[in-house]
Amino acid sequence: MVRLITHNLLSCHVKGCTRNNFPLRFQDVKVELREAEFNAEFLRNFVPRIEWKALVDAGKELGDTSLPEELPEMLGDEFLKKLHHVLLEIHVEEGAMVCPNCGHVYKIMSGIPNMLLTESEI
Amino acid sequence: MLSLPTPDLSHLTHEDYERVYEPAANKEDTFILLDALEADVEELLEAKPRICLEIGSGSGCVSTFAAKILGPSECLYLCTDINKHAARCTHLTGRQNNVTLDPVLSSLSDAFNQRFRKCGGVDLLIFNPPYVPTADEEALNAQGDADIAGAWAGGKLGMEITNQVLNNDILSHSGRFYLVAVKQNDVPSIQERMNIEQGMPPLRHHYSDRIFLDSLPLRIRPHAADEVLDVLHLSQPFDKHLTA
């Protein structure tokens, strides 16, 4: 499955596509929600590695508007629980991710994103 | 011997193993990785890796084991493979063992490289590369065909694919890299490259039996008569910038 924690780390890597190639936009998605174990320390440690705006926007694309536009200074439990849900419990099972720059379509099938390129695209 | 349970792979079928490299007692490379991870379990727990990446995850056995020993909610377990059957097996093996793995169909870490360089990179990198020396053409064809030969055809000195991973420089400052190698891979040159080309401080070399060496490889356990396996544990114990 593509969770938003993974989506936040993926960019378009078509040859020559190096600007405005992140975040990939979701298209025609089928989403499932699955509970995951809450781990506040993991989340606090992971926050510095997140591109915040990309995460907030991706959440909205999948219909979740619970995250604030700006990352709060204090990472309290209430905030972390929202973050936990958006980052780890929303699973994109089918659909695609599209590069905002070159338009390349990366399909998601049975929960697995296909980021492979053909030889001419590398 | 492992004291922690080996992941349950009973859900994988004969058909799966025709398409995906099978961890088996007579193919020791998977298990030597499990041994190396288990030997380091205390250090790993203390290091608290938050991003783990296994390149070429195959059956998903090694990442599942990592998630079991580190804790399923303690880390993100990314798994790449170029073989769609492998990505599916990885997903299923995680589920069978109650851990969440995030499989991605990708060559090496290609789809992640740009973000890894910005977000600090991978804390725990695991790679059991195609290390059997073959003609370069065969190695490239095997990767292009994305079939089971991609799991062993390694090119000149068995290092073509490993070199690509080393060149990507995706390890975090405190990152650890567990790499399976054979004698023919010319382990000294791997170490030299990590030191010189990437400006890393001297690396600690760690073999699966927890012998620490300043010089080179010893070790190891008999695999086939002409194949000797190592798990190289490359870590960066100091901040690059402090020692540069």
Side-chain angles (χ1 to χ4, degrees):
Chain A
M1 62 288 144
V2 183
R3 301 191 289 174
L4 292 189
I5 193 170
T6 305
H7 170 265
N8 202 263
L9 295 171
L10 291 170
S11 318
C12 181
H13 57 113
V14 169
K15 188 179 183 182
C17 185
T18 54
R19 298 171 71 94
N20 190 31
N21 58 344
F22 170 87
L24 302 173
R25 293 206 187 101
F26 285 109
Q27 195 174 69
D28 303 328
V29 294
K30 194 180 128 214
V31 168
E32 283 179 20
L33 302 180
R34 284 190 218 127
E35 241 177 79
E37 184 183 67
F38 179 74
N39 184 332
E41 194 195 352
F42 168 77
L43 292 167
R44 284 199 181 94
N45 286 175
F46 207 90
V47 159
R49 303 178 122 167
I50 297 171
E51 278 282 341
W52 188 252
K53 188 176 182 321
L55 179 66
V56 173
D57 290 350
K60 284 186 199 159
E61 282 183 51
L62 302 181
D64 190 301
T65 55
S66 61
L67 293 181
E69 295 291 331
E70 299 288 331
L71 179 64
E73 277 179 32
M74 292 292 290
L75 305 179
D77 269 5
E78 195 184 333
F79 164 76
L80 289 178
K81 284 194 171 138
K82 289 177 185 162
L83 176 62
H84 169 75
H85 177 69
V86 175
L87 208 54
L88 301 168
E89 294 189 323
I90 305 175
H91 296 235
V92 179
E93 292 295 325
E94 303 288 337
M97 295 181 286
V98 183
C99 173
N101 180 44
C102 74
H104 188 89
V105 176
Y106 298 95
K107 286 194 175 155
I108 301 166
M109 285 182 285
S110 305
I112 295 169
N114 185 347
M115 305 302 292
L116 293 169
L117 298 174
T118 61
E119 220 162 285
S120 62
E121 294 160 342
I122 299 169
Chain B
M1 285 298 288
L2 293 172
S3 57
L4 291 164
T6 303
D8 177 6
L9 301 174
S10 61
H11 56 291
L12 299 181
T13 64
H14 181 67
E15 285 73 35
D16 288 328
Y17 289 134
E18 284 181 358
R19 296 158 162 170
V20 177
Y21 193 68
E22 177 181 12
N26 61 347
K27 295 175 188 160
E28 237 181 327
D29 45 1
T30 298
F31 292 98
I32 198 176
L33 264 176
L34 303 191
D35 280 339
L37 289 168
E38 188 182 25
D40 287 355
V41 64
E42 282 173 26
E43 274 178 60
L44 286 169
L45 285 169
E46 201 172 317
K48 292 191 188 299
R50 298 310 190 190
I51 299 180
C52 175
L53 171 66
E54 183 183 6
I55 295 174
S57 58
S59 68
C61 180
V62 177
S63 282
T64 296
F65 187 77
K68 283 284 189 191
I69 63 174
L70 296 175
S73 71
E74 293 289 333
C75 184
L76 171 65
Y77 301 96
L78 298 171
C79 301
T80 64
D81 210 293
I82 54 171
N83 176 339
K84 67 181 178 185
H85 305 292
R88 181 179 54 83
C89 288
T90 293
H91 179 51
L92 294 175
T93 298
R95 206 168 60 183
Q96 178 84 1
N97 292 275
N98 300 315
V99 301
T100 301
L101 306 179
D102 289 81
V104 173
L105 268 173
S106 171
S107 177
L108 307 180
S109 57
D110 288 0
F112 293 109
N113 289 344
Q114 181 178 324
R115 283 284 292 126
F116 279 162
R117 291 187 192 115
K118 285 186 190 157
C119 81
V122 177
D123 303 311
L124 177 56
L125 180 60
I126 301 171
F127 189 27
N128 183 0
Y131 51 73
V132 178
T134 53
D136 281 358
E137 200 180 334
E138 188 179 354
L140 293 173
N141 285 344
Q143 294 301 307
D145 295 344
D147 65 6
I148 196 165
W152 53 263
K156 189 183 168 195
L157 297 178
M159 280 297 290
E160 290 302 308
I161 312 298
T162 301
N163 283 339
Q164 289 179 36
V165 172
L166 295 174
N167 286 338
N168 283 336
D169 192 19
I170 54 169
L171 213 54
S172 70
H173 289 159
S174 57
R176 289 148 186 266
F177 184 9
Y178 288 79
L179 171 70
V180 178
V182 289
K183 197 172 51 181
Q184 298 96 310
N185 296 153
D186 190 9
V187 174
S189 79
I190 299 178
Q191 296 174 320
E192 200 173 322
R193 291 193 49 213
M194 295 294 284
N195 287 339
I196 296 170
E197 289 182 20
Q198 302 196 15
M200 289 185 187
L203 295 162
R204 196 180 62 182
H205 310 297
H206 174 207
Y207 297 85
S208 61
D209 55 358
R210 287 189 75 76
I211 291 175
F212 291 77
L213 300 164
D214 289 319
S215 57
L216 275 202
L218 246 330
R219 186 20 189 132
I220 336 276
R221 49 184 72 203
H223 184 57
D226 60 344
E227 188 177 287
V228 173
L229 286 173
D230 250 345
V231 172
L232 274 125
H233 169 175
L234 309 174
S235 65
Q236 304 187 56
F238 309 109
D239 189 295
K240 276 184 200 176
H241 302 298
L242 294 178
T243 52

